[in-house]
Amino acid sequence: MTSLERQSRLLLRAWPPPDRLERGDEILATTLDLVPPGRRRLPLALAASLVFGGLRARVRARPGIRDLHSYAMGYEGCQLPTRCHRWMLNDLLSGGWCRRMVTRWVAAGLTYTLIGMIIVQPLPPPFGMPGYRSTFAVLRS
Amino acid sequence: MREPTFLILVALADAERHGYGIILEVETLSGGRLKLGPGSLYGALDRLNEQKLIRSTRSEVVNGRLRRYYAITDAGLSAVRKEAARRADVLRAAKSRLGLAHA
């Protein structure tokens, strides 16, 4: 293994393990093709592209807040994007699923309560609650 | 459609290419302005594959390096043609507004 290949494989660890398994060799080959001849170290721009690409792939592999909320609440017709199916399979099959779901429900409940207290309640009708003082007004008095 | 995505689809419009080939073709098409790195390229290829605008066709090993080839699908060709027409319309309107109609 050349020094460039060693450096590239180290930076490839930024990518999620399934991606490394499926296309690690392909990404490595493209990276080595892009290195100018005679270089013994990866150019900084190339190294940064590898690392940031891997981190973006890790973020893309997880569902976003809205998809995660639909998944946690079990909304009818909830469909995670294809790129998140591996994440979902891992979530369903790995231990501690009940604990994780309870944590998500509690987090959703707290979020709704905070949104209600901070944003909705102080609003004038029809959004707020006519005849009620906002929670902060009660706390201040 | 972002410019890198558009140029990747244009690069694949006439022939299947592997990753390095796509990067070179995108650089040529953009007049040297856009140099994709492996991180951006494979992120874009993942998204395009998910949207079924491209597909992976074959792999081969050349000089010990794995090359996987990608080709555009019919849906991808249709999408890139629509985007090219949209960009041409915007460019025409801009040139007309700026008095560059014959430039």
Side-chain angles (χ1 to χ4, degrees), chain A:
Chain A
M1 199 186 291
T2 64
S3 156
L4 280 172
E5 202 174 314
R6 259 196 306 274
Q7 290 168 44
S8 304
R9 285 207 184 270
L10 185 63
L11 296 176
L12 264 175
R13 294 184 70 79
W15 292 71
D19 287 47
R20 282 206 303 272
L21 203 61
E22 266 180 44
R23 56 189 349 180
D25 289 338
E26 183 191 351
I27 299 173
L28 177 72
T30 306
T31 305
L32 294 177
D33 283 335
L34 287 167
V35 176
R39 293 284 296 252
R40 293 179 60 184
R41 293 181 68 82
L42 277 181
L44 189 59
L46 208 50
S49 175
L50 262 186
V51 170
F52 287 117
L55 295 177
R56 272 199 299 271
R58 284 181 186 264
V59 169
R60 269 179 53 78
R62 297 181 61 87
I65 288 284
R66 289 171 66 175
D67 287 330
L68 186 61
H69 176 259
S70 301
Y71 167 72
M73 296 294 120
Y75 288 152
E76 191 181 337
C78 159
Q79 259 189 322
L80 288 181
T82 317
R83 62 186 161 79
C84 300
H85 285 181
R86 197 178 274 134
W87 175 90
M88 185 177 73
L89 212 58
N90 197 39
D91 187 59
L92 289 171
L93 296 178
S94 58
W97 180 81
C98 289
R99 181 178 45 81
R100 278 196 300 279
M101 287 306 269
V102 168
T103 307
R104 287 164 189 156
W105 293 334
V106 168
L110 282 173
T111 308
Y112 288 140
T113 307
L114 277 172
I115 289 173
M117 280 171 57
I118 295 170
I119 297 173
V120 177
Q121 250 189 6
L123 290 175
F127 304 106
M129 296 162 78
Y132 287 83
R133 293 164 68 200
S134 76
T135 307
F136 288 126
V138 170
L139 290 173
R140 275 199 305 269
S141 65

Side-chain angles (χ1 to χ4, degrees), chain B residues 4-94:
Chain B
T5 310
F6 173 66
L7 288 174
I8 288 171
L9 287 175
V10 171
L12 291 172
D14 62 342
E16 62 176 22
R17 297 179 201 278
H18 52 68
Y20 182 53
I22 295 173
I23 291 174
L24 290 181
E25 190 65 17
V26 164
E27 196 177 335
T28 305
L29 287 168
S30 63
R33 272 188 308 107
L34 188 58
K35 293 182 178 141
L36 292 173
S40 338
L41 173 71
Y42 286 100
L45 290 178
D46 273 345
R47 277 192 298 278
L48 290 170
N49 207 15
E50 198 176 304
Q51 293 164 11
K52 303 215 189 315
L53 299 181
I54 65 170
R55 61 187 166 85
S56 167
T57 52
R58 60 188 173 94
S59 305
E60 62 182 19
V61 177
V62 177
N63 296 332
R65 293 182 186 175
L66 176 68
R67 299 201 184 291
R68 185 169 288 144
Y69 287 78
Y70 297 89
I72 198 166
T73 60
D74 291 339
L77 204 52
S78 166
V80 75
R81 281 180 174 151
K82 268 193 202 141
E83 180 67 13
R86 188 193 69 80
R87 285 178 183 232
D89 287 341
V90 168
L91 186 60
R92 204 173 304 120

